[in-house]
Amino acid sequence: EVQLVESGGNLVQPGGSLRLSCAASGFTFSSYSMSWVRQAPGRGLEWISYISSGSITIDYADSVKGRFTISRDNAKNSLYLHINSLRAEDTAVYYCARDGNYYGSGNYYSLFDHWGQGTLVTVSS
Amino acid sequence: SELTQDPAVSVALGQTVRITCQGDSLRSYYVNWYQQKPGQAPVVVIYGKTNRPSGIPDRFSGSTSGSTAYLTITGAQAEDEADYYCNSRDSTNTRLGVFGGGTKLTVL
């Protein structure tokens, strides 16, 4: 069974830093790209970062570029998100999600096929 | 670039409802649809515009026309009440992901 378990969320003061972790199990972690998606309280989903299976390709949403750093350790089956210079608007549940590739209608498509339960980051003084 | 969804839609039990998602990127890139119930992580219900993952009821279907994608639920059930999000790529940088703002579906 595929499992993704996030941890590291906490109450942090503005300007502070955090490292979020996502422990993966039940699949060959090193074969899959991964993403982080966040959801502010009562708000919608926001894609924030992507990392390819071998860490060659990394992307960030403009809203977090320069402050967030995604990384992974395939030997430890773990995904990370380092967050710096936290702002009140970064308050959200942070989900890690697996990028799966599925076949349909003659093509392969990428989608977030498995998600963790999320970890809450609260930025407040 | 953005994906635009109606904030809320309602449907009578057993009737058909269509949820829309508009965005320039949909002209050239496929859309996935996610269902999210309160306190739960999202679940994909449609991928690649029209495909349904195993385990998703066949009352869920997807289609597109130009810059608009549609998620249709034919014969809505009480358990379909949830938030629905479309997801695709940023039209100015297709390496970046983007979600619509979400549509809250109420089944009456």
Side-chain angles (χ1 to χ4, degrees):
Chain A
E1 178 192 4
V2 172
Q3 282 199 319
L4 298 170
V5 180
E6 301 95 336
S7 61
N10 211 333
L11 170 63
V12 186
Q13 291 189 341
S17 300
L18 270 181
R19 187 184 84 160
L20 307 182
S21 300
C22 172
S25 61
F27 66 102
T28 304
F29 180 70
S30 59
S31 296
Y32 286 85
S33 300
M34 300 291 295
S35 292
W36 286 97
V37 177
R38 70 181 179 182
Q39 186 169 34
R43 305 294 295 275
L45 301 172
E46 179 187 14
W47 173 86
I48 56 174
S49 189
Y50 163 92
I51 186 168
S52 61
S53 58
S55 304
I56 301 301
T57 301
I58 288 175
D59 290 301
Y60 300 98
D62 289 344
S63 59
V64 306
K65 192 177 296 183
R67 298 188 300 122
F68 289 20
T69 303
I70 192 172
S71 63
R72 63 190 295 162
D73 185 335
N74 287 342
K76 295 183 177 180
N77 292 333
S78 293
L79 175 72
Y80 305 103
L81 187 68
H82 293 75
I83 309 176
N84 295 318
S85 304
L86 277 159
R87 308 166 179 167
E89 55 264 36
D90 296 319
T91 294
V93 173
Y94 286 72
Y95 295 100
C96 64
R98 190 180 83 166
D99 284 47
N101 285 307
Y102 288 74
Y103 184 80
S105 306
N107 288 291
Y108 282 92
Y109 299 97
S110 175
L111 58 124
F112 305 125
D113 63 347
H114 290 277
W115 300 63
Q117 84 289 348
T119 187
L120 177 62
V121 174
T122 303
V123 184
S124 176
S125 55
Chain B
S1 183
E2 294 183 348
L3 298 177
T4 302
Q5 299 182 240
D6 292 329
V9 171
S10 62
V11 61
L13 184 67
Q15 296 304 300
T16 296
V17 62
R18 193 168 73 170
I19 297 170
T20 63
C21 173
Q22 290 185 303
D24 288 341
S25 65
L26 301 183
R27 293 185 181 277
S28 53
Y29 207 82
Y30 61 87
V31 65
N32 301 322
W33 289 94
Y34 295 86
Q35 175 194 69
Q36 187 182 34
K37 296 182 178 179
Q40 298 183 18
V43 173
V44 60
V45 293
I46 293 289
Y47 69 92
K49 292 189 289 188
T50 62
N51 302 284
R52 199 172 49 250
S54 61
I56 300 301
D58 61 5
R59 62 179 179 272
F60 288 88
S61 63
S63 61
T64 60
S65 178
S67 63
T68 302
Y70 304 95
L71 172 68
T72 301
I73 307 174
T74 303
Q77 302 299 302
E79 60 264 32
D80 300 333
E81 185 162 293
D83 294 326
Y84 291 87
Y85 295 91
C86 57
N87 163 241
S88 187
R89 296 289 177 168
D90 189 303
S91 62
T92 58
N93 183 347
T94 56
R95 285 173 50 167
L96 307 184
V98 63
F99 283 93
T103 296
K104 180 175 179 58
L105 176 66
T106 300
V107 180
L108 304 173

